[in-house]
PDB file of all heavy atoms in Angstrom:
ATOM      1  N   GLN F  78      -7.625   5.253  -5.926  1.00  0.00           N
ATOM      2  CA  GLN F  78      -7.895   6.640  -5.587  1.00  0.00           C
ATOM      3  C   GLN F  78      -8.141   6.759  -4.055  1.00  0.00           C
ATOM      4  O   GLN F  78      -7.663   7.702  -3.387  1.00  0.00           O
ATOM      5  CB  GLN F  78      -9.189   7.123  -6.366  1.00  0.00           C
ATOM      6  CG  GLN F  78      -9.002   7.103  -7.839  1.00  0.00           C
ATOM      7  CD  GLN F  78      -7.761   7.791  -8.319  1.00  0.00           C
ATOM      8  OE1 GLN F  78      -7.543   8.989  -7.924  1.00  0.00           O
ATOM      9  NE2 GLN F  78      -6.972   7.151  -9.139  1.00  0.00           N
ATOM     10  N   VAL F  79      -8.867   5.807  -3.477  1.00  0.00           N
ATOM     11  CA  VAL F  79      -9.170   5.842  -2.081  1.00  0.00           C
ATOM     12  C   VAL F  79      -7.903   5.617  -1.276  1.00  0.00           C
ATOM     13  O   VAL F  79      -7.680   6.308  -0.230  1.00  0.00           O
ATOM     14  CB  VAL F  79     -10.239   4.813  -1.648  1.00  0.00           C
ATOM     15  CG1 VAL F  79     -10.445   4.729  -0.208  1.00  0.00           C
ATOM     16  CG2 VAL F  79     -11.552   5.175  -2.363  1.00  0.00           C
ATOM     17  N   ALA F  80      -7.028   4.697  -1.702  1.00  0.00           N
ATOM     18  CA  ALA F  80      -5.813   4.417  -1.000  1.00  0.00           C
ATOM     19  C   ALA F  80      -4.956   5.647  -0.933  1.00  0.00           C
ATOM     20  O   ALA F  80      -4.235   5.894   0.064  1.00  0.00           O
ATOM     21  CB  ALA F  80      -5.062   3.272  -1.613  1.00  0.00           C
ATOM     22  N   ALA F  81      -4.953   6.474  -1.996  1.00  0.00           N
ATOM     23  CA  ALA F  81      -4.179   7.685  -2.009  1.00  0.00           C
ATOM     24  C   ALA F  81      -4.709   8.779  -0.998  1.00  0.00           C
ATOM     25  O   ALA F  81      -3.996   9.665  -0.642  1.00  0.00           O
ATOM     26  CB  ALA F  81      -4.090   8.231  -3.422  1.00  0.00           C
ATOM     27  N   LEU F  82      -5.987   8.639  -0.683  1.00  0.00           N
ATOM     28  CA  LEU F  82      -6.682   9.617   0.159  1.00  0.00           C
ATOM     29  C   LEU F  82      -6.532   9.280   1.685  1.00  0.00           C
ATOM     30  O   LEU F  82      -6.606  10.139   2.539  1.00  0.00           O
ATOM     31  CB  LEU F  82      -8.119   9.789  -0.224  1.00  0.00           C
ATOM     32  CG  LEU F  82      -8.411  10.348  -1.552  1.00  0.00           C
ATOM     33  CD1 LEU F  82      -9.971  10.178  -1.843  1.00  0.00           C
ATOM     34  CD2 LEU F  82      -8.008  11.739  -1.723  1.00  0.00           C
ATOM     35  N   ALA F  83      -6.493   7.942   1.976  1.00  0.00           N
ATOM     36  CA  ALA F  83      -6.609   7.511   3.321  1.00  0.00           C
ATOM     37  C   ALA F  83      -5.183   7.144   3.843  1.00  0.00           C
ATOM     38  O   ALA F  83      -4.449   6.443   3.182  1.00  0.00           O
ATOM     39  CB  ALA F  83      -7.518   6.277   3.387  1.00  0.00           C
ATOM     40  N   GLY F  84      -4.859   7.573   5.025  1.00  0.00           N
ATOM     41  CA  GLY F  84      -3.615   7.244   5.695  1.00  0.00           C
ATOM     42  C   GLY F  84      -3.813   6.075   6.657  1.00  0.00           C
ATOM     43  O   GLY F  84      -4.921   5.496   6.685  1.00  0.00           O
ATOM     44  N   LYS F  85      -2.780   5.735   7.270  1.00  0.00           N
ATOM     45  CA  LYS F  85      -2.858   4.677   8.275  1.00  0.00           C
ATOM     46  C   LYS F  85      -3.791   5.031   9.367  1.00  0.00           C
ATOM     47  O   LYS F  85      -3.936   6.230   9.725  1.00  0.00           O
ATOM     48  CB  LYS F  85      -1.431   4.317   8.807  1.00  0.00           C
ATOM     49  CG  LYS F  85      -0.532   3.616   7.824  1.00  0.00           C
ATOM     50  CD  LYS F  85       0.738   3.227   8.461  1.00  0.00           C
ATOM     51  CE  LYS F  85       1.620   2.426   7.485  1.00  0.00           C
ATOM     52  NZ  LYS F  85       2.853   1.995   8.098  1.00  0.00           N
ATOM     53  N   ASN F  86      -4.468   4.093   9.969  1.00  0.00           N
ATOM     54  CA  ASN F  86      -5.388   4.317  11.020  1.00  0.00           C
ATOM     55  C   ASN F  86      -6.713   5.021  10.569  1.00  0.00           C
ATOM     56  O   ASN F  86      -7.428   5.555  11.416  1.00  0.00           O
ATOM     57  CB  ASN F  86      -4.804   5.010  12.235  1.00  0.00           C
ATOM     58  CG  ASN F  86      -3.594   4.211  12.771  1.00  0.00           C
ATOM     59  OD1 ASN F  86      -3.701   3.076  13.059  1.00  0.00           O
ATOM     60  ND2 ASN F  86      -2.469   4.961  12.996  1.00  0.00           N
ATOM     61  N   ALA F  87      -6.873   5.157   9.277  1.00  0.00           N
ATOM     62  CA  ALA F  87      -8.070   5.840   8.742  1.00  0.00           C
ATOM     63  C   ALA F  87      -9.348   5.027   9.064  1.00  0.00           C
ATOM     64  O   ALA F  87      -9.266   3.786   9.068  1.00  0.00           O
ATOM     65  CB  ALA F  87      -7.953   6.054   7.251  1.00  0.00           C
ATOM     66  N   VAL F  88     -10.407   5.726   9.312  1.00  0.00           N
ATOM     67  CA  VAL F  88     -11.733   5.081   9.418  1.00  0.00           C
ATOM     68  C   VAL F  88     -12.345   5.095   8.015  1.00  0.00           C
ATOM     69  O   VAL F  88     -12.543   6.144   7.360  1.00  0.00           O
ATOM     70  CB  VAL F  88     -12.666   5.896  10.387  1.00  0.00           C
ATOM     71  CG1 VAL F  88     -14.010   5.225  10.450  1.00  0.00           C
ATOM     72  CG2 VAL F  88     -12.019   5.896  11.752  1.00  0.00           C
ATOM     73  N   VAL F  89     -12.567   3.895   7.522  1.00  0.00           N
ATOM     74  CA  VAL F  89     -13.088   3.695   6.156  1.00  0.00           C
ATOM     75  C   VAL F  89     -14.443   3.000   6.195  1.00  0.00           C
ATOM     76  O   VAL F  89     -14.592   1.973   6.900  1.00  0.00           O
ATOM     77  CB  VAL F  89     -12.137   2.868   5.328  1.00  0.00           C
ATOM     78  CG1 VAL F  89     -12.663   2.577   3.873  1.00  0.00           C
ATOM     79  CG2 VAL F  89     -10.777   3.564   5.221  1.00  0.00           C
ATOM     80  N   VAL F  90     -15.431   3.522   5.470  1.00  0.00           N
ATOM     81  CA  VAL F  90     -16.753   2.875   5.369  1.00  0.00           C
ATOM     82  C   VAL F  90     -16.986   2.615   3.871  1.00  0.00           C
ATOM     83  O   VAL F  90     -16.926   3.499   2.984  1.00  0.00           O
ATOM     84  CB  VAL F  90     -17.819   3.841   5.902  1.00  0.00           C
ATOM     85  CG1 VAL F  90     -19.250   3.262   5.557  1.00  0.00           C
ATOM     86  CG2 VAL F  90     -17.749   4.012   7.406  1.00  0.00           C
ATOM     87  N   ASP F  91     -17.289   1.354   3.596  1.00  0.00           N
ATOM     88  CA  ASP F  91     -17.531   0.874   2.270  1.00  0.00           C
ATOM     89  C   ASP F  91     -19.026   0.510   2.100  1.00  0.00           C
ATOM     90  O   ASP F  91     -19.514  -0.507   2.576  1.00  0.00           O
ATOM     91  CB  ASP F  91     -16.679  -0.343   1.952  1.00  0.00           C
ATOM     92  CG  ASP F  91     -16.859  -0.932   0.579  1.00  0.00           C
ATOM     93  OD1 ASP F  91     -17.376  -0.160  -0.377  1.00  0.00           O
ATOM     94  OD2 ASP F  91     -16.547  -2.095   0.343  1.00  0.00           O
TER      95      ASP F  91
END
Side-chain angles (χ1 to χ4, degrees):
Q78 300 308 308
V79 174
L82 296 171
K85 288 185 178 180
N86 302 312
V88 177
V89 177
V90 171
D91 180 22

